[in-house]
Amino acid sequence: MLSKETVEKILSTLLKHGGDFAEVFVEDKYDNRIEMKDNKIQKINSGIEKGIGIRGFLGTKSVYAYTNDFTEDNLLKVAKRVGQVLGEVTMNNIVLNFDKTEVQNIHPIHFYPQDIKKNEKVNIMKIASESAKNYSDLIKQVVVNFWDYDQKILVANSEGVFKQDRRIRNRLMINSIAEFNGARESGFYGPGAGMGFEFFNILNPREAGERASRIASRMVKADYIEAGKMPVIISNEFGGVIFHEAVGHALEASSVAKGASVFSGKLGEKVASECVSAVDDPTIPNAWGSANIDDEGTETKRNLLIEKGILKSYMIDKLGGRRMNMESTGSSRRMNYKFAPTSRMSNTFILAGDYYPEEIISNTNNGLYAKSLGGGSVNPSTGEFNFAVNEGYLVENGKITKPVRGATLIGKGYEVIKKIDMVGNDVARGQGMCGAASGSIPADVGQPTIRVSEIVVGGRNK
């Protein structure tokens, strides 16, 4: 990390050569990844990543540079160059006040990644691997990945921010492959948290392995679903990936400020069914996408996005706020010091409704129950999405009957959230990595069980 004196020199140098705002982001990160295939270690990659990002604004113009050379001469050269590129407006007689430095830690950590021996992490992986392999004779391959990191950051800017934070994360990812009559299907489960190794006191790696293999072994023997429009019940937890991708990204300032979102200029308007309320909440203690401050040093907060179908807020960073003439919502994130931050989601999910999941199923004559969703694609400017159903079942006469595979959900996010007609009371979140302009970042997706009255389901017609 840098001293206040050095930070002040960097910020002052930038502003003397151009710009009306200067910022420094310092990162010191320990990263550890282990891969195991069929109970044998394949790769171990551990290392330290250090660097500094320097950013300047002039109005809504932004320039970003980064370096891993911490010498003061180099940092001042980089700051000078950023200021010169911004040009036009320069500031003199600069006084920077760094008095406010305290950050309240709401994500306590008990066991840091560097303090845990490799064999303890490998033992967790072996439990998951063996349980996944032994789940069924259909399971032919199991790959387990373990990832933990310890990221220390410092954010300082010409508005007087000088704050430090530390983010610890642990994640276990299991991918099982099943084979039956020449067909292959995969099952994946990847729980994680903003916790130390104590995460594995609440996560059972045996159950995690079995869950991945359950999906693969059931789907490999399933019939293909017939394509068509039908009611779709989307299960809780990772089912929320549709809201994240097809709606959440369109609520980020990075697209709203440019008018590239279907939700631009719609604050206060009804954009979803009345039974839909949704938040982005990075303050959930020790959640996968949580943080005490965002990557611009703004204190994070629970952000109500949609309330009873009415659009209440966007997710806004400093630059987006300048473009929209609105305040930051503490939603600025980046993968590491090599990326300029921008507005991103953290833990984004639909809030609980009134129904038990069993009620939603019993009130659906015929349709699809999407138990687990996989990857897909989305166009943020139009909201059009396409998502694979990793684990699906037919709903017939109000009951879940047989498994089906090959289903994809196709639609437009802003249309689908108007067709949600039942919302369950079983909110749960799943963990994933979100990729966008500022890199790949940890993010929770989530929701209770919901029913969409009609979605186009891709499949195979007879």
Side-chain angles (χ1 to χ4, degrees):
M1 298 295 151
L2 298 178
S3 68
K4 286 187 176 181
E5 291 73 21
T6 301
V7 168
E8 183 174 356
K9 288 180 182 177
I10 295 169
L11 298 176
S12 298
T13 298
L14 192 159
L15 295 174
K16 285 177 182 175
H17 290 85
D20 58 17
F21 172 85
E23 177 190 78
V24 172
F25 176 87
V26 186
E27 179 183 32
D28 181 351
K29 181 179 179 183
Y30 165 82
D31 190 284
N32 171 64
R33 300 169 193 248
I34 308 173
E35 180 180 307
M36 174 183 285
K37 182 177 179 181
D38 293 332
N39 223 28
K40 295 180 180 178
I41 297 298
Q42 301 295 306
K43 290 186 291 187
I44 299 179
N45 293 320
S46 299
I48 301 293
E49 187 174 41
K50 286 185 177 181
I52 300 176
I54 298 175
R55 184 170 66 155
F57 292 166
L58 179 59
T60 57
K61 181 181 176 182
S62 174
V63 175
Y64 188 74
Y66 65 87
T67 178
N68 59 6
D69 182 348
F70 278 66
T71 61
E72 188 169 298
D73 284 349
N74 176 65
L75 296 176
L76 297 182
K77 286 179 183 176
V78 174
K80 178 181 177 181
R81 185 59 184 146
V82 171
Q84 287 174 332
V85 174
L86 285 168
E88 298 183 25
V89 173
T90 60
M91 298 175 66
N92 296 307
N93 301 319
I94 300 163
V95 177
L96 300 174
N97 181 354
F98 292 144
D99 281 348
K100 297 178 181 178
T101 61
E102 295 298 323
V103 173
Q104 182 184 1
N105 181 23
I106 58 174
H107 311 289
I109 301 297
H110 297 287
F111 301 106
Y112 290 87
Q114 301 92 321
D115 298 333
I116 304 299
K117 295 179 179 176
K118 284 281 193 311
N119 63 346
E120 294 185 64
K121 302 174 184 180
V122 169
N123 285 340
I124 294 290
M125 300 173 71
K126 284 183 175 178
I127 293 172
S129 177
E130 289 169 359
S131 66
K133 186 70 174 67
N134 294 333
Y135 182 82
S136 165
D137 291 339
L138 299 173
I139 301 300
K140 301 304 179 187
Q141 185 182 92
V142 176
V143 176
V144 178
N145 282 279
F146 183 100
W147 182 27
D148 59 356
Y149 71 74
D150 179 353
Q151 182 195 38
K152 302 169 188 170
I153 68 159
L154 162 66
V155 186
N157 67 35
S158 54
E159 295 174 347
V161 168
F162 190 96
K163 295 181 179 178
Q164 298 184 61
D165 197 12
R166 188 171 183 179
R167 292 97 177 245
I168 312 293
R169 307 201 198 277
N170 266 271
R171 192 179 188 199
L172 185 68
M173 295 160 280
I174 305 104
N175 191 45
S176 298
I177 304 292
E179 284 186 6
F180 179 70
N181 285 346
R184 293 166 64 94
E185 289 286 337
S186 64
F188 175 80
Y189 185 47
M195 304 177 72
F197 199 68
E198 65 271 16
F199 174 53
F200 297 100
N201 291 334
I202 61 172
L203 175 78
N204 186 329
R206 188 180 309 281
E207 292 178 357
E210 290 173 349
R211 178 166 168 169
S213 289
R214 182 202 71 205
I215 297 172
S217 57
R218 287 188 181 176
M219 291 302 103
V220 76
K221 298 177 76 173
D223 292 330
Y224 284 96
I225 191 171
E226 288 189 48
K229 292 182 179 178
M230 64 188 75
V232 176
I233 299 169
I234 304 175
S235 185
N236 64 356
E237 201 180 66
F238 204 74
V241 70
I242 287 186
F243 183 85
H244 172 101
E245 295 288 355
V247 179
H249 279 299
L251 296 177
E252 293 169 340
S254 53
S255 57
V256 175
K258 298 173 184 175
S261 165
V262 294
F263 298 112
S264 295
K266 293 190 175 179
L267 279 180
E269 295 184 17
K270 185 175 181 180
V271 297
S273 166
E274 288 186 4
C275 60
V276 175
S277 296
V279 298
D280 181 76
D281 189 357
T283 70
I284 299 171
N286 299 106
W288 178 239
S290 290
N292 295 306
I293 58 174
D294 74 356
D295 285 339
E296 292 174 335
T298 304
E299 190 173 330
T300 55
K301 66 175 185 178
R302 181 182 173 94
N303 190 8
L304 179 62
L305 302 172
I306 297 173
E307 184 177 37
K308 297 181 179 178
I310 305 298
L311 181 59
K312 292 291 186 178
S313 180
Y314 300 115
M315 289 164 279
I316 307 171
D317 61 311
K318 282 187 177 294
L319 184 60
R322 284 187 170 213
R323 290 169 172 160
M324 299 164 66
N325 197 27
M326 297 177 71
E327 293 294 320
S328 166
T329 56
S331 304
S332 179
R333 302 186 69 191
R334 68 179 102 197
M335 179 175 171
N336 56 39
Y337 73 94
K338 296 178 181 178
F339 292 84
T342 189
S343 52
R344 302 290 295 273
M345 287 172 275
S346 58
N347 309 305
T348 311
F349 52 99
I350 296 175
L351 299 178
D354 298 326
Y355 294 96
Y356 288 97
E358 295 80 5
E359 289 182 275
I360 298 176
I361 295 165
S362 63
N363 278 282
T364 304
N365 285 333
N366 294 289
L368 172 67
Y369 176 60
K371 172 69 175 173
S372 175
L373 297 184
S377 61
V378 63
N379 183 336
S381 62
T382 65
E384 294 173 316
F385 67 80
N386 183 323
F387 281 96
V389 178
N390 280 355
E391 184 180 9
Y393 300 85
L394 286 184
V395 178
E396 298 173 301
N397 300 316
K399 294 181 180 179
I400 293 174
T401 55
K402 61 181 182 180
V404 287
R405 59 174 161 160
T408 55
L409 305 183
I410 303 165
K412 297 178 180 177
Y414 65 91
E415 292 180 348
V416 165
I417 58 174
K418 292 177 180 175
K419 294 181 178 178
I420 297 174
D421 60 0
M422 298 185 81
V423 177
N425 56 11
D426 57 337
V427 173
R429 304 188 313 275
Q431 291 70 53
M433 296 301 294
C434 174
S438 61
S440 179
I441 57 173
D444 263 11
V445 302
Q447 65 176 40
T449 300
I450 63 169
R451 185 178 75 177
V452 183
S453 59
E454 183 180 87
I455 298 185
V456 174
V457 177
R460 293 188 181 183
N461 288 330
K462 294 179 180 177

Coordinates of all heavy atoms in Angstrom, one line a residue, residues 294-328:
D294 N -17.1 0.0 -2.2 CA -17.0 -0.4 -3.6 C -15.6 0.0 -4.1 O -14.7 0.5 -3.3 CB -18.1 0.2 -4.5 CG -17.9 1.7 -4.7 OD1 -17.0 2.3 -4.2 OD2 -18.8 2.3 -5.5
D295 N -15.3 -0.2 -5.3 CA -13.9 0.1 -5.8 C -13.6 1.5 -6.1 O -12.6 1.8 -6.7 CB -13.7 -0.8 -7.0 CG -13.4 -2.3 -6.6 OD1 -13.1 -2.5 -5.5 OD2 -13.6 -3.2 -7.5
E296 N -14.5 2.4 -5.7 CA -14.3 3.9 -5.7 C -14.2 4.4 -4.3 O -14.2 5.6 -4.1 CB -15.3 4.6 -6.6 CG -15.3 4.2 -8.1 CD -16.4 4.8 -8.9 OE1 -17.5 5.1 -8.3 OE2 -16.2 5.0 -10.1
G297 N -14.3 3.5 -3.3 CA -14.2 3.9 -1.9 C -15.6 4.4 -1.3 O -15.6 4.8 -0.2
T298 N -16.6 4.2 -2.1 CA -18.0 4.6 -1.6 C -18.5 3.4 -0.7 O -18.4 2.3 -1.1 CB -18.9 4.8 -2.8 OG1 -18.4 5.8 -3.6 CG2 -20.3 5.3 -2.2
E299 N -19.1 3.8 0.4 CA -19.6 2.8 1.3 C -20.8 2.1 0.6 O -21.6 2.7 0.0 CB -20.1 3.4 2.6 CG -20.5 2.4 3.7 CD -20.9 3.1 5.0 OE1 -20.3 4.2 5.2 OE2 -21.7 2.6 5.7
T300 N -20.8 0.7 0.7 CA -21.8 0.0 0.0 C -23.2 0.1 0.7 O -23.2 0.4 1.9 CB -21.4 -1.5 -0.2 OG1 -21.1 -2.0 1.1 CG2 -20.2 -1.7 -1.1
K301 N -24.3 -0.2 0.0 CA -25.6 -0.1 0.6 C -26.5 -1.0 -0.1 O -26.3 -1.4 -1.3 CB -26.1 1.3 0.6 CG -26.4 1.9 -0.7 CD -27.0 3.2 -0.7 CE -27.4 3.7 -2.1 NZ -28.1 5.0 -2.0
R302 N -27.6 -1.4 0.6 CA -28.7 -2.2 -0.1 C -29.4 -1.2 -1.0 O -29.9 -0.2 -0.6 CB -29.6 -2.7 1.0 CG -30.8 -3.6 0.5 CD -31.6 -4.0 1.7 NE -32.8 -4.7 1.3 CZ -33.0 -6.0 1.2 NH1 -32.0 -6.8 1.5 NH2 -34.1 -6.5 0.9
N303 N -29.5 -1.6 -2.3 CA -30.1 -0.8 -3.3 C -31.4 -1.4 -3.8 O -31.4 -2.4 -4.5 CB -29.1 -0.6 -4.4 CG -29.5 0.4 -5.4 OD1 -30.5 1.2 -5.2 ND2 -28.7 0.5 -6.5
L304 N -32.5 -0.8 -3.5 CA -33.8 -1.3 -3.9 C -34.0 -0.9 -5.4 O -34.1 0.3 -5.7 CB -35.0 -0.7 -3.1 CG -36.4 -1.1 -3.5 CD1 -36.6 -2.6 -3.3 CD2 -37.4 -0.4 -2.6
L305 N -34.0 -1.9 -6.3 CA -34.1 -1.6 -7.7 C -35.5 -1.5 -8.2 O -35.9 -0.6 -8.9 CB -33.3 -2.7 -8.5 CG -31.9 -3.0 -8.1 CD1 -31.3 -4.2 -8.8 CD2 -31.0 -1.7 -8.5
I306 N -36.3 -2.5 -7.8 CA -37.7 -2.6 -8.2 C -38.6 -2.9 -7.0 O -38.2 -3.8 -6.2 CB -37.9 -3.7 -9.3 CG1 -37.1 -3.4 -10.6 CG2 -39.4 -3.9 -9.7 CD1 -37.1 -4.5 -11.6
E307 N -39.6 -2.1 -6.8 CA -40.6 -2.4 -5.7 C -42.0 -2.5 -6.2 O -42.5 -1.6 -6.8 CB -40.5 -1.2 -4.7 CG -41.4 -1.4 -3.5 CD -41.2 -0.3 -2.5 OE1 -41.1 0.9 -2.9 OE2 -41.2 -0.6 -1.3
K308 N -42.5 -3.7 -6.0 CA -43.9 -4.0 -6.5 C -44.1 -3.6 -8.0 O -45.1 -3.0 -8.4 CB -44.9 -3.4 -5.6 CG -44.9 -3.9 -4.2 CD -45.9 -3.2 -3.3 CE -45.9 -3.7 -1.9 NZ -46.9 -3.1 -1.0
G309 N -43.1 -3.9 -8.8 CA -43.1 -3.7 -10.2 C -42.7 -2.3 -10.7 O -42.5 -2.1 -11.9
I310 N -42.4 -1.4 -9.7 CA -42.0 0.0 -10.1 C -40.5 0.1 -10.0 O -39.9 -0.3 -9.0 CB -42.7 1.0 -9.1 CG1 -44.2 0.8 -9.0 CG2 -42.3 2.4 -9.5 CD1 -44.9 1.1 -10.3
L311 N -39.9 0.7 -11.1 CA -38.5 0.9 -11.1 C -38.1 2.0 -10.1 O -38.5 3.2 -10.3 CB -38.0 1.3 -12.5 CG -36.5 1.5 -12.7 CD1 -35.7 0.2 -12.4 CD2 -36.2 1.9 -14.2
K312 N -37.3 1.7 -9.1 CA -36.9 2.6 -8.1 C -35.5 3.2 -8.2 O -35.2 4.3 -7.7 CB -37.0 1.9 -6.7 CG -38.5 1.6 -6.3 CD -39.2 2.9 -6.1 CE -40.6 2.6 -5.5 NZ -41.4 3.9 -5.2
S313 N -34.6 2.4 -8.8 CA -33.2 2.9 -8.8 C -32.4 2.1 -9.8 O -32.8 1.0 -10.3 CB -32.5 2.7 -7.4 OG -31.2 3.1 -7.4
Y314 N -31.2 2.7 -10.2 CA -30.2 2.0 -11.0 C -29.0 1.7 -10.1 O -29.0 2.1 -9.0 CB -29.8 2.9 -12.1 CG -30.9 3.4 -13.1 CD1 -31.3 4.7 -13.1 CD2 -31.6 2.5 -13.9 CE1 -32.3 5.2 -14.0 CE2 -32.6 2.9 -14.7 CZ -32.9 4.2 -14.8 OH -33.9 4.6 -15.7
M315 N -28.0 1.0 -10.7 CA -26.8 0.8 -10.0 C -25.7 1.8 -10.6 O -25.5 1.7 -11.8 CB -26.3 -0.7 -10.1 CG -27.2 -1.6 -9.3 SD -27.1 -3.3 -9.8 CE -28.2 -3.4 -11.2
I316 N -25.2 2.7 -9.8 CA -24.5 3.8 -10.4 C -23.1 3.9 -9.8 O -22.9 3.8 -8.6 CB -25.3 5.1 -10.1 CG1 -26.7 5.0 -10.6 CG2 -24.6 6.3 -10.8 CD1 -27.6 6.1 -10.2
D317 N -22.1 4.2 -10.6 CA -20.7 4.5 -10.2 C -20.5 6.0 -10.4 O -21.4 6.7 -10.8 CB -19.7 3.7 -11.1 CG -19.8 4.1 -12.5 OD1 -21.0 4.1 -13.1 OD2 -18.8 4.4 -13.2
K318 N -19.3 6.5 -10.1 CA -19.0 7.9 -10.1 C -19.1 8.5 -11.5 O -19.8 9.5 -11.7 CB -17.6 8.2 -9.5 CG -17.6 8.2 -8.0 CD -16.2 8.7 -7.5 CE -16.2 8.8 -6.0 NZ -17.1 9.8 -5.5
L319 N -18.5 7.8 -12.5 CA -18.6 8.3 -13.9 C -20.0 8.3 -14.4 O -20.5 9.2 -15.1 CB -17.6 7.5 -14.8 CG -17.5 8.0 -16.2 CD1 -17.0 9.5 -16.2 CD2 -16.5 7.1 -17.0
G320 N -20.7 7.1 -14.1 CA -22.1 7.0 -14.6 C -22.9 8.1 -13.9 O -23.8 8.7 -14.5
G321 N -22.6 8.4 -12.6 CA -23.4 9.4 -11.9 C -23.2 10.8 -12.5 O -24.1 11.6 -12.6
R322 N -22.0 11.1 -13.0 CA -21.7 12.4 -13.7 C -22.6 12.4 -15.0 O -23.1 13.5 -15.3 CB -20.2 12.5 -14.0 CG -19.4 12.9 -12.9 CD -17.9 13.1 -13.3 NE -17.2 13.7 -12.2 CZ -16.2 14.6 -12.3 NH1 -15.8 15.0 -13.5 NH2 -15.6 15.0 -11.2
R323 N -22.6 11.3 -15.7 CA -23.3 11.3 -17.0 C -24.9 11.4 -16.7 O -25.6 12.0 -17.6 CB -23.0 10.0 -17.7 CG -21.6 10.0 -18.3 CD -21.2 8.6 -18.8 NE -19.9 8.7 -19.5 CZ -19.2 7.6 -19.7 NH1 -19.6 6.4 -19.3 NH2 -18.1 7.7 -20.4
M324 N -25.3 10.9 -15.6 CA -26.8 10.8 -15.3 C -27.2 11.9 -14.4 O -28.4 12.0 -14.0 CB -27.1 9.5 -14.7 CG -26.8 8.3 -15.6 SD -26.8 6.7 -14.8 CE -28.5 6.5 -14.3
N325 N -26.2 12.7 -13.8 CA -26.5 13.8 -12.8 C -27.2 13.1 -11.6 O -28.2 13.7 -11.1 CB -27.4 14.9 -13.4 CG -27.4 16.1 -12.6 OD1 -26.4 16.4 -11.9 ND2 -28.5 16.9 -12.6
M326 N -26.6 12.0 -11.2 CA -27.1 11.3 -10.0 C -26.0 10.9 -9.1 O -24.8 10.8 -9.6 CB -28.0 10.1 -10.4 CG -29.2 10.4 -11.2 SD -30.1 8.9 -11.8 CE -30.8 8.4 -10.3
E327 N -26.2 10.6 -7.8 CA -25.2 10.2 -6.9 C -24.9 8.7 -7.1 O -25.7 7.9 -7.6 CB -25.7 10.4 -5.5 CG -25.8 11.8 -5.1 CD -24.5 12.6 -5.1 OE1 -23.5 11.9 -4.6 OE2 -24.5 13.7 -5.5
S328 N -23.6 8.4 -6.8 CA -23.2 6.9 -6.8 C -24.0 6.1 -5.8 O -24.3 6.6 -4.7 CB -21.7 6.8 -6.5 OG -21.4 5.5 -6.2

